[in-house]
Amino acid sequence: MSNEIWVVADLTIDGKVRKATFEGLSEARRKLAVKLGGQLCGVLLGSGVSGLASELGKYGAEKVYVIDNELLKDYTPEGYSIALSELIKKHEPHIVITGNTSIGQDYFPRVAARVGAGLTLDAIDLDLTDDKRLKVRRYMYSAKSIATVEFLDHKPMMTTIRPNVFKPEEASKNPEVINESIDIKPERILTKTVEVKRKESTRPELTEADRIVSGGRGMASGDNFYLIFDLADAIGAAAGASRAAVDSGFVPYEMQVGQTGKVVSPTLYIAIAISGSVQHYAGMGSSRVIVAINKDQDAPIFQKCDYGIVADLFQLVPALTEEFKKLLAQQ
Amino acid sequence: MKIVVIVRQTPDTEAKIKVASSGNSIDIEGIKWIVSPYDEFAIEEAIKIKEKLGTGEVILITMGPARCVEALRTGLAMGADSAIHIKDESFAFTDPYAIAKVIGQEIRGLGGFDLILTGKKMIDEETGQVGIHVAEDLGISHIAIVTKVELSSDKKKVTCQKEIEGGQVVAEVPLPALLTCEKGLNEPRYASLPGIMKAKKKPVKEVTPDNINVETLGLTKEALGQAGARFKVTKLEVPQVQRKLKVIKEAEVPEAAKELVKLLREEAKVI
Ligand SMILES: Cc1cc2nc3c(=O)[nH]c(=O)nc-3n(C[C@H](O)[C@H](O)[C@H](O)COP(=O)(O)OP(=O)(O)OC[C@H]3O[C@@H](n4cnc5c(N)ncnc54)[C@H](O)[C@@H]3O)c2cc1C
Ligand SMILES: Cc1cc2nc3c(=O)[nH]c(=O)nc-3n(C[C@H](O)[C@H](O)[C@H](O)COP(=O)(O)OP(=O)(O)OC[C@H]3O[C@@H](n4cnc5c(N)ncnc54)[C@H](O)[C@@H]3O)c2cc1C
């Protein structure tokens, strides 16, 4: 068993390193590496990914393991599980971390089962007990409670982390790059990727966005959502929606925030014509600053926000967009 | 076509969560229990596939205390054919890995299956691992978080659509396979009155801890329950977020907008 802490890089469809990886490296360095007396390492899985090692170094990785294999070009649960579990068996790290993304959630359970590790998902806090067991905090019961979960003696200890919670912080290192070749038999990969469709959007992704503007049922139609998009674009935000807005057919499901939608934690969340149901709050309650705009002064959201304006959105939102534009133009 | 649906009972989404006196779990007093919403998509999809093929069998399986039979009855009333209830109070706190092993053993006992469906995550603990662990345990492929399911005409393959960050993926796996279901896949039906009546007569097999051969699962007896878990919850808290609650009322629109932007810049420092 080594004292290494691994952060496995999460890549976008375009093969870029996701912010969640830098967040994981930064938090692991701040909260785990020193206490454990261990080395912080990055792991890259994919095809043609060696060049990304220096990016992991920029956020503190002292060593980067690279498995560069043609069979890892498209993500498949089999390929990634084999690659990572064999690597873990060989080097026996103490802790293994990745982002709680659609990919991380998909293969980490399989890897944990293969190497006999404990695994928690979607951690919002990382720490070590005095005897060096991993201790995480995570939401349970749709953000209505936070559990502190301590690992018992199973090793390695694995967790995924919620994107956008930890602060990325550069810590320039020139990492030692270790190329590993893991034998992956093509016949063991049963999943076939038929098609990958990219979403054409100039706005940030909801789960990674630093600012989000969301619209609810009170938007009254899909056409009116231009008000949300204009405001979002003025401040570089992602655009979201409540379930009522999605179910009414105003906007697609991928924009839904909440218990049965996306879980987000931006610095700034602006909820427009959203009443503030428990289910919506479950998806955005961990935002740092919540702003509510609603015409009903008794709307529950006014009991859960930092700033609010009681007003009709159709008058207020255009004015607000103008104010933001004016302010940001001055810079 | 034999389709297994793994379902789980969870507290109603409106439930007010109180921490029990133990400090590490919830107080279940007065809680209303429902079928985990994502599992409803799984049940609906299984029934739809059976209806489309005009033949087949839908078997529900759950693990948990006596109350969980209600979740099974709901699924049976929607149209599933039979159910298995792995029943014991001491299962609370069993870790997802052990749960999957036990569920896997029961599924193996069915004498073959074609498809396993479950929710993408439970809405209570939200650890989101059981489904994929079951697939790993049974040595079959999985596709997670699916929003569209298409069975090949020879019933040997399934092609699914799933949402990922920044796009959509269409993937294909051979059967048997496990799929975890996402919202948008279908609209779960409500149980009809005749459905509810019929459900009462449908078979629910009970499995008790004595029926579980832990050794063949590579587990110890202690693995079922907290004693054998790989982690434990040491504390459960209700988050106390202090919000500022500064609400601007009865202001003219331009002034209200100006005031808000000023607060966000100077006080909250987020713009
Ligand atoms: C199992 C389950 C899961 C769920 N999951 C989710 C989820 O993931 N996400 C989610 O959001 N919901 C979810 N819901 C639904 C949730 O309970 C609410 O129904 C939903 O959030 C309401 O959306 P809303 O606030 O847009 O609509 P409403 O509650 O109808 O609120 C609309 C608001 O708009 C205001 N308004 C109207 N017109 C104007 C105007 N011109 N100017 C300003 N304000 C105006 C109104 O005063 C009102 O407060 C779920 C429910 C269940 C049962
Ligand atoms: C931190 C922690 C706290 C816990 N606290 C409690 C507690 O207070 N009370 C308690 O009873 N247990 C508790 N447990 C045990 C808990 O029941 C299992 O960990 C849980 O079932 C794991 O499921 P999951 O969240 O991974 O399910 P997920 O993987 O999120 O669920 C996916 C699907 O798996 C299926 N599934 C999950 N569990 C079951 C099951 N038991 N039977 C049938 N299908 C299932 C469902 O269909 C579900 O949609 C706790 C576990 C952990 C790790």
Side-chain angles (χ1 to χ4, degrees):
Chain A
M1 180 69 51
S2 79
N3 261 355
E4 291 181 351
I5 302 167
W6 289 7
V7 177
V8 187
D10 250 297
L11 305 183
T12 64
I13 322 183
D14 300 314
K16 294 204 184 68
V17 182
R18 256 180 208 294
K19 213 169 92 202
T21 307
F22 303 137
E23 293 163 1
L25 283 165
S26 306
E27 190 68 3
R29 184 166 47 82
R30 288 186 292 251
K31 299 287 284 291
L32 306 176
V34 177
K35 245 178 160 173
L36 183 66
Q39 200 175 26
L40 185 60
C41 308
V43 177
L44 282 164
L45 309 175
S47 173
V49 290
S50 319
L52 301 172
S54 60
E55 287 193 41
L56 305 188
K58 209 157 99 191
Y59 287 87
E62 297 167 65
K63 196 195 264 184
V64 177
Y65 294 100
V66 181
I67 302 182
D68 208 317
N69 190 317
E70 186 58 24
L71 291 170
L72 299 176
K73 189 164 171 290
D74 281 330
Y75 167 78
T76 61
E78 297 94 344
Y80 271 54
S81 305
I82 295 169
L84 187 60
S85 51
E86 292 308 314
L87 197 67
I88 289 175
K89 284 184 202 156
K90 183 164 170 201
H91 296 281
E92 302 188 322
H94 195 78
I95 295 172
V96 185
I97 300 169
T98 199
N100 195 50
T101 59
S102 61
I103 289 181
Q105 292 167 31
D106 202 61
Y107 77 104
F108 257 47
R110 282 194 184 255
V111 173
R114 282 178 198 196
V115 301
L119 166 68
T120 58
L121 297 182
D122 213 16
I124 55 163
D125 188 64
L126 302 177
D127 205 351
L128 281 184
T129 62
D130 292 339
D131 58 352
K132 299 183 173 171
R133 285 174 294 117
L134 183 61
K135 184 162 102 176
V136 308
R137 292 187 354 124
R138 57 188 302 276
Y139 284 104
M140 266 207 217
Y141 302 102
S142 6
K144 284 183 271 190
S145 69
I146 297 178
T148 304
V149 185
E150 269 184 28
F151 283 67
L152 301 173
D153 60 356
H154 285 269
K155 287 190 192 115
M157 298 175 269
M158 299 178 63
T159 189
T160 67
I161 55 165
R162 177 172 294 191
N164 238 359
V165 169
F166 303 117
K167 202 169 149 263
E169 196 181 351
E170 292 191 15
S172 189
K173 291 268 165 17
N174 194 2
E176 176 190 358
V177 177
I178 300 177
N179 284 295
E180 293 277 355
S181 69
I182 302 273
D183 181 30
I184 306 171
K185 302 224 162 23
E187 63 272 17
R188 287 188 61 192
I189 298 183
L190 300 174
T191 306
K192 203 169 105 195
T193 305
V194 180
E195 196 185 353
V196 180
K197 289 181 230 171
R198 251 163 269 259
K199 225 180 355 237
E200 300 303 335
S201 174
T202 48
R203 292 184 197 101
E205 282 170 31
L206 274 172
T207 51
E208 288 190 345
D210 196 43
R211 294 170 184 164
I212 294 174
V213 181
S214 286
R217 195 198 311 268
M219 296 306 298
S221 79
D223 289 342
N224 291 336
F225 258 77
Y226 80 88
L227 291 166
I228 301 290
F229 298 135
D230 284 355
L231 175 51
D233 293 342
I235 57 172
S242 73
R243 169 158 159 189
V246 170
D247 286 356
S248 308
F250 302 165
V251 286
Y253 169 62
E254 66 208 34
M255 281 175 64
Q256 184 176 319
V257 171
Q259 178 162 40
T260 46
K262 297 219 161 64
V263 176
V264 299
S265 40
T267 312
L268 173 64
Y269 189 93
I270 305 183
I272 298 172
I274 290 177
S275 62
S277 67
V278 283
Q279 294 92 353
H280 190 74
Y281 203 73
M284 44 63 94
S286 63
S287 305
R288 190 153 81 70
V289 173
I290 297 175
V291 173
I293 294 165
N294 199 300
K295 69 176 179 191
D296 173 9
Q297 63 167 329
D298 297 322
I301 190 128
F302 286 131
Q303 302 304 318
K304 312 178 187 176
C305 69
D306 295 289
Y307 305 102
I309 301 181
V310 181
D312 185 279
L313 79 94
F314 296 102
Q315 290 167 27
L316 188 93
V317 175
L320 187 59
T321 305
E322 281 318 304
E323 281 302 320
F324 276 129
K325 278 190 184 156
K326 256 196 263 169
L327 177 80
L328 296 171
Q330 287 166 12
Q331 292 177 357
Chain B
M1 186 113 192
K2 205 184 269 183
I3 308 173
V4 181
V5 188
I6 310 176
V7 300
R8 158 97 168 169
Q9 197 186 38
T10 60
D12 181 17
T13 53
E14 294 284 351
K16 199 156 168 52
I17 298 296
K18 278 190 301 226
V19 177
S21 54
S22 65
N24 70 347
S25 64
I26 60 162
D27 184 350
I28 57 170
E29 180 73 27
I31 278 186
K32 197 175 135 222
W33 298 89
I34 58 168
V35 176
S36 182
Y38 293 106
D39 294 349
E40 287 191 347
F41 301 126
I43 300 172
E44 175 65 31
E45 196 64 21
I47 298 169
K48 265 175 60 184
I49 293 173
K50 178 184 156 176
E51 285 172 350
K52 197 167 162 205
L53 296 174
T55 157
E57 189 185 353
V58 176
I59 305 163
L60 309 175
I61 182 163
T62 197
M63 175 161 166
R67 59 173 157 75
C68 298
V69 73
E70 290 306 317
L72 296 176
R73 291 286 169 211
T74 305
L76 292 171
M78 286 169 73
D81 299 292
S82 65
I84 301 172
H85 184 184
I86 309 168
K87 181 172 154 186
D88 189 71
E89 307 301 319
S90 71
F91 286 151
F93 294 108
T94 304
D95 77 20
Y97 176 76
I99 290 177
K101 284 262 175 195
V102 174
I103 291 178
Q105 172 171 269
E106 283 308 312
I107 294 175
R108 275 197 190 88
L110 292 173
F113 61 91
D114 302 287
L115 196 58
I116 304 175
L117 300 175
T118 190
K120 81 160 177 190
K121 66 175 183 190
M122 301 189 318
I123 56 159
D124 52 1
E125 284 113 23
E126 313 190 22
T127 63
Q129 314 184 29
V130 168
I132 296 172
H133 274 321
V134 169
E136 174 70 21
D137 182 54
L138 295 170
I140 59 175
S141 303
H142 81 269
I143 307 179
I145 327 189
V146 305
T147 50
K148 204 166 157 190
V149 173
E150 215 156 306
L151 213 57
S152 69
S153 49
D154 62 1
K155 292 180 233 153
K156 288 209 168 74
K157 277 188 314 213
V158 63
T159 307
C160 300
Q161 181 176 306
K162 64 181 283 181
E163 304 290 326
I164 59 166
E165 296 82 3
Q168 246 175 16
V169 169
V170 179
E172 178 191 286
V173 290
L175 296 186
L178 180 141
L179 311 176
T180 77
C181 303
E182 167 70 307
K183 188 189 163 196
L185 177 60
N186 55 43
E187 275 304 321
R189 68 194 68 191
Y190 290 102
S192 64
L193 199 54
I196 295 169
M197 297 313 289
K198 264 199 239 158
K200 293 190 173 140
K201 296 199 198 75
K202 289 180 179 169
V204 177
K205 177 181 152 195
E206 282 192 9
V207 180
T208 62
D210 304 334
N211 307 129
I212 299 169
N213 189 341
V214 281
E215 282 79 28
T216 58
L217 295 181
L219 299 172
T220 56
K221 201 89 197 160
E222 292 73 48
L224 304 179
Q226 176 66 72
R230 291 166 185 211
F231 29 66
K232 71 172 187 212
V233 178
T234 52
K235 194 159 126 203
L236 195 67
E237 308 149 76
V238 174
Q240 302 295 345
V241 201
Q242 291 295 330
R243 294 283 171 198
K244 289 204 175 69
L245 305 178
K246 284 196 183 167
V247 179
I248 305 166
K249 291 178 202 165
E250 288 159 21
E252 292 299 321
V253 159
E255 277 67 47
K258 271 205 187 73
E259 176 67 12
L260 176 62
V261 171
K262 189 160 169 246
L263 285 167
L264 291 177
R265 159 135 282 189
E266 289 169 12
E267 190 179 272
K269 301 194 168 66
V270 289
I271 282 287

